[in-house]
Amino acid sequence: MSTTLMITIAVFIGVALLVVAVASLMRDKDISQMEGRLNALTGKGDKGDPSSLGEMTKLLAAQREDGQSALDVALSRWFNLNRLFEQAQVMMSTTSFLAACAGLGIGAFTLCAVAGVSLTIAPAVGGMFAMLPFGWLMFRRKKRFKRFAAQLPEALELVARALRAGHSLAAGFKLVGSEMSDPISSEFNRVFEEQNLGIPFEEALDGMTERIPNLDLKFFVTAVILQRQTGGDLAEILDKIGSLVRDRFRIWGQVQALTGEGRLSGIVLLALPPLLFAAVWRMNPDYLMVLFTDDLGKKMLIGGIVMQLLGALVIRKIVNIRV
């Protein structure tokens, strides 16, 4: 098969996948507009209100796996992308996400082929671009988890004050959902709405710990479940957990300050070889071609990459101190 035919086929597949992704996104937008009109007709026009028709539909659909394509259901058994979307708070279907990944990968491969890049390097570049949406998704997920962990002590104290004022635990969750910002407000609101819809409170709490894998949140949920089964002063327990979480954040800040020099040294040491390689390649490419043409040069290049990765793991192990 000629190179021109391969490029033509790759371009066709890339354009087709991009069209599918755009069509899926437009379909999601149309569905959102339809839900907004239904909310307006039912008197619940606040789109952000967790008691709105759209939010309740999402909760029920999540329990029944309704509204999912066959690809979504099949992938959820092996790799639950829907859970990652939920944790990162991304409104996108599995089909649209995979189509975007494939479109980026094939588009990058096609551009490399058109630019005259070697066919041995072009697939690697295409694979890197295809993984960019996954990196973006994990970045949003990690950022949301970090924000949730920072909000948790204040939320626990707010629930404890609500309990001392005579409110129920469910009312305390509702108070957190209305007084605080995302992501903790949406999660506590979801627990409140799920128990309103008939799901047992303990089961709703367990669902929140699955969506937010936070150790402090698990302590809180365990304390709530034990208190509901055996009794006790839940407000005092929540105050102690909140104080413990704040102390952990304070110690973690001190550890970050003490390990800052090591982290900066690791960044410099890991970035120096690639930057030096790029600079020498820019000034004298023939000087580095030996690494790609000679057998010993190839072994040295592979060895250098492996040692870089091992060094990164060792430095990460040194500076990554869990609190």
Side-chain angles (χ1 to χ4, degrees):
M1 185 179 293
S2 63
T3 305
T4 305
L5 182 58
M6 290 178 60
I7 294 175
T8 303
I9 294 174
V11 171
F12 174 76
I13 295 175
V15 171
L17 290 174
L18 286 176
V19 170
V20 171
V22 172
S24 300
L25 292 176
M26 294 299 293
R27 179 177 176 271
D28 295 339
K29 182 178 179 181
D30 293 339
I31 291 175
S32 299
Q33 292 177 351
M34 180 182 66
E35 289 180 352
R37 293 173 182 173
L38 290 174
N39 289 335
L41 290 174
T42 55
K44 299 177 180 178
D46 187 4
K47 192 175 180 180
D49 186 4
S51 63
S52 63
L53 179 62
E55 292 296 325
M56 289 186 176
T57 304
K58 291 178 188 176
L59 292 176
L60 295 175
Q63 299 295 328
R64 303 191 310 262
E65 290 188 350
D66 287 350
Q68 296 184 2
S69 63
L71 180 62
D72 295 339
V73 176
L75 286 176
S76 63
R77 297 176 182 176
W78 303 99
F79 184 66
N80 198 345
L81 272 177
N82 290 326
R83 175 54 57 85
L84 292 179
F85 294 153
E86 191 176 26
Q87 292 176 342
Q89 209 169 20
V90 174
M91 300 301 297
M92 184 181 294
S93 65
T94 304
T95 306
S96 303
F97 182 79
L98 294 179
C101 293
L104 283 174
I106 295 175
F109 174 80
T110 304
L111 290 177
C112 291
V114 172
V117 180
S118 175
L119 291 180
T120 58
I121 302 177
V125 175
M128 291 175 59
F129 273 83
M131 294 302 295
L132 285 179
F134 284 97
W136 169 77
L137 185 65
M138 298 306 294
F139 173 77
R140 281 185 58 100
R141 177 176 178 266
K142 184 178 180 180
K143 183 179 179 181
R144 187 167 182 263
F145 286 171
K146 187 176 180 180
R147 174 68 175 164
F148 184 94
Q151 291 177 312
L152 186 58
E154 184 179 354
L156 297 183
E157 293 175 355
L158 187 58
V159 174
R161 290 196 296 268
L163 292 175
R164 288 194 177 94
H167 297 286
S168 64
L169 182 60
F173 273 69
K174 178 63 175 177
L175 184 63
V176 172
S178 60
E179 294 295 331
M180 298 188 67
S181 59
D182 277 335
I184 201 165
S185 63
S186 59
E187 292 296 335
F188 274 64
N189 249 334
R190 177 165 179 174
V191 173
F192 177 77
E193 292 300 330
E194 284 180 348
Q195 63 91 26
N196 273 349
L197 293 173
I199 299 176
F201 201 77
E202 290 82 0
E203 186 176 338
L205 290 174
D206 288 336
M208 183 169 64
T209 58
E210 292 178 1
R211 295 189 301 272
I212 307 292
N214 184 280
L215 184 61
D216 299 321
L217 180 64
K218 291 181 180 179
F219 288 153
F220 163 64
V221 171
T222 303
V224 170
I225 294 176
L226 288 177
Q227 189 273 339
R228 290 175 67 89
Q229 294 176 353
T230 62
D233 190 355
L234 182 59
E236 183 180 356
I237 296 175
L238 296 184
D239 284 337
K240 290 181 178 180
I241 295 177
S243 176
L244 176 63
V245 174
R246 291 187 185 277
D247 290 340
R248 284 184 57 188
F249 269 98
R250 178 178 55 81
I251 297 174
W252 181 79
Q254 294 176 355
V255 170
Q256 289 295 103
L258 294 174
T259 58
E261 182 181 356
R263 286 184 281 110
L264 183 60
S265 300
I267 293 173
V268 172
L269 291 175
L270 294 175
L272 187 59
L275 293 177
L276 184 60
F277 183 90
V280 175
W281 179 273
R282 183 70 177 85
M283 294 184 295
N284 189 3
D286 296 333
Y287 185 78
L288 295 176
M289 286 305 297
V290 183
L291 296 175
F292 299 97
T293 57
D294 188 73
D295 292 337
L296 181 59
K298 294 178 181 178
K299 294 178 181 178
M300 292 177 63
L301 184 61
I302 295 174
I305 294 174
V306 172
M307 293 180 68
Q308 279 281 101
L309 295 176
L310 290 177
L313 292 176
V314 171
I315 293 175
R316 184 177 182 273
K317 187 69 175 179
I318 293 173
V319 300
N320 188 20
I321 300 175
R322 298 188 62 182
V323 179

